[in-house]
Amino acid sequence: MTLTAYTGADVFDGHIRHRNSALLVDGSRIAGVVLEGDIPANAEIHPLPSGTIAPGFVDLQVNGGGGVLFNDAQWVDTLRTIAQAHARCGTTSLLPTLITDTPEHVSAAIDAVEQAIAANVPGIIGLHIEGPHLSIARKGAHNPDLIRKMEPADVDLLLDAVKRLPILLVTVAPENVTPEQIATLTDAGVLISLGHSDAPYDDCKTAAAHGATCATHLFNAMSQFTGREPGLVGAALDTPTLHAGLIADGIHVCPASIRTALAAKQGPAAVFLVTDAMSTVGSDITEFTLDGRTIYRRNGRLTLADGTLAGADLNIPTALRFMTSKVGVSPDEALKMATSKPAKMLQNTQVGQLVSDGVANFVHLDDDLYLTAVWQNGTPISDVISKP
């Protein structure tokens, strides 16, 4: 293998920023981060403009991309298309997400992700099943005809799936899943996230006590924070063990609400970025269908005909720039929210950080956080989506 030293930019390893340093890459693996004066003599120098080298982004909620939607076709080719579209935006590790659907499509999604991982499709690290065990009151764009309580057969299906997949994340509402079911699933390794729920604070805290570790797209499709009833928003912020995904596009959550949430969040669990991306990411399509309903793409917004938000037309670099320019967080904190923080939620040390002998998934961003280059498994990605 050829040892390559990437120089000229700061190196953000997912946790701290290294200045006057180089990222060493040996084939498909990270060889380390060293001061420029300590670059091995046998390394090939690859100079970059100023800016930042960072880990490839980690996105735990990706419904589609490249013009296709996972709900439409639970096939390996669908997953490959989605992963390639997001890799062009710097996301090198993702959880394809199946929105509320039939048991047959859930089974097909599990099969497809298992086959994609066996085939080493770059970027696919597991599966996120969002529904159908949600709340009708907070259904959002999910099909209400398919929303239902979790039954023993559903538990059995998920228990089998977690044995076959490296990561299985499932979004549920406490209204349609019992604490005992949550405990059974989390004891087996399923990651449970609370979302699309109108449950009160106490019920959400009970779900967390039984093993739930996340809240899905904070503030959206969930019981809100009020003075007398904190709801799921309050539980997500007040519970040290509940992480929370956040759609940072200026459409789903106001910057002031994000600032308040970040200030209020009790750790060690943290808020991290997700895109909730639909098929529009990496494509020029202006509309698509979900369960036979048309979703319209207008000015960065995806909606049903009645105006209901239906996922997001968002990539991670755009979310990073929103977090720094509109919310006011530092570039390093924004980068953590797209790399090491979602990895921490997954308890996965192989993604979201640049560590010796880790997979060489990394990006280069300019000083304004626009993407300029992406490497996946040490190989540069062509046709990167950079400045508009």
Side-chain angles (χ1 to χ4, degrees):
M1 295 291 183
T2 300
L3 182 65
T4 303
Y6 292 87
T7 64
D10 291 346
V11 180
F12 179 78
D13 65 10
H15 304 280
I16 62 175
R17 180 174 292 267
H18 303 263
R19 303 187 189 278
N20 304 311
S21 297
L23 177 67
L24 299 180
V25 176
D26 190 1
S28 64
R29 314 299 294 188
I30 300 293
V33 178
V34 300
L35 291 172
E36 289 183 346
D38 295 330
I39 296 173
N42 65 327
E44 179 180 298
I45 305 299
H46 186 120
L48 292 168
S50 64
T52 303
I53 298 168
F57 308 132
V58 181
D59 193 344
L60 308 189
Q61 191 167 6
V62 176
N63 311 300
V68 302
L69 197 63
F70 194 32
N71 277 71
D72 288 342
Q74 296 82 50
W75 303 331
V76 173
D77 283 349
T78 305
L79 295 172
R80 184 177 287 107
T81 297
I82 292 170
Q84 288 174 346
H86 284 269
R88 293 172 59 212
C89 301
T91 297
T92 55
S93 302
L94 61 84
L95 294 184
T97 302
L98 188 80
I99 303 166
T100 293
D101 214 318
T102 64
E104 293 76 19
H105 283 186
V106 173
S107 294
I110 294 166
D111 292 343
V113 171
E114 182 181 34
Q115 293 162 15
I117 290 172
N120 294 314
V121 174
I124 305 298
I125 62 171
L127 173 64
H128 181 177
I129 301 172
E130 188 185 0
H133 315 298
L134 309 176
S135 164
I136 292 287
R138 296 285 183 172
K139 68 182 186 304
H142 289 242
N143 186 342
D145 295 334
L146 296 176
I147 290 175
R148 57 186 177 81
K149 288 187 177 296
M150 181 176 283
E151 301 293 344
D154 302 307
V155 175
D156 291 342
L157 177 65
L158 297 175
L159 291 175
D160 175 67
V162 76
K163 296 175 183 176
R164 298 160 51 191
L165 303 177
I167 298 170
L168 178 61
L169 174 64
V170 180
T171 293
V172 301
E175 297 95 313
N176 270 334
V177 179
T178 68
E180 292 74 24
Q181 288 171 326
I182 291 174
T184 296
L185 292 169
T186 57
D187 286 348
V190 179
L191 300 172
I192 294 294
S193 187
L194 306 178
H196 287 275
S197 171
D198 207 33
Y201 173 88
D202 287 345
D203 289 356
C204 298
K205 292 287 285 188
T206 298
H210 282 75
T213 56
C214 192
T216 297
H217 43 51
L218 184 65
F219 290 109
N220 288 275
M222 63 176 60
S223 46
Q224 297 297 294
F225 186 100
T226 68
R228 295 184 180 88
E229 173 47 63
L232 178 49
V233 170
L237 299 179
D238 188 49
T239 307
T241 57
L242 279 180
H243 299 263
L246 175 73
I247 307 171
D249 61 357
I251 295 168
H252 284 77
V253 188
C254 171
S257 296
I258 297 176
R259 283 191 290 272
T260 301
L262 294 178
K265 182 69 186 92
Q266 300 298 299
V271 178
F272 60 89
L273 298 177
V274 296
T275 62
D276 199 14
M278 301 297 264
S279 51
T280 52
V281 171
S283 80
D284 295 326
I285 62 173
T286 58
E287 60 184 55
F288 58 96
T289 60
L290 174 65
D291 292 325
R293 300 165 295 168
T294 300
I295 310 294
Y296 300 94
R297 182 188 202 182
R298 302 287 187 274
N299 301 317
R301 184 185 296 262
L302 301 179
T303 63
L304 295 169
D306 65 2
T308 299
L309 288 173
D313 186 17
L314 178 67
N315 59 43
I316 292 291
T318 301
L320 292 174
R321 295 191 297 275
F322 178 83
M323 291 299 296
T324 56
S325 66
K326 302 299 183 182
V327 178
V329 304
S330 69
D332 287 5
E333 184 59 29
L335 285 168
K336 288 177 186 178
M337 294 175 71
T339 57
S340 58
K341 288 189 175 183
K344 181 179 179 181
M345 187 269 160
L346 296 178
Q347 301 178 31
N348 188 325
T349 60
Q350 298 302 305
V351 299
Q353 50 193 326
L354 302 175
V355 295
S356 294
D357 202 37
V359 178
N361 292 332
F362 60 102
V363 303
H364 178 258
L365 300 148
D366 70 14
D367 291 330
D368 297 317
L369 294 178
Y370 283 93
L371 190 69
T372 70
V374 181
W375 291 261
Q376 193 167 38
N377 297 318
T379 301
I381 298 291
S382 61
D383 198 21
V384 168
I385 296 175
S386 185
K387 291 188 178 182

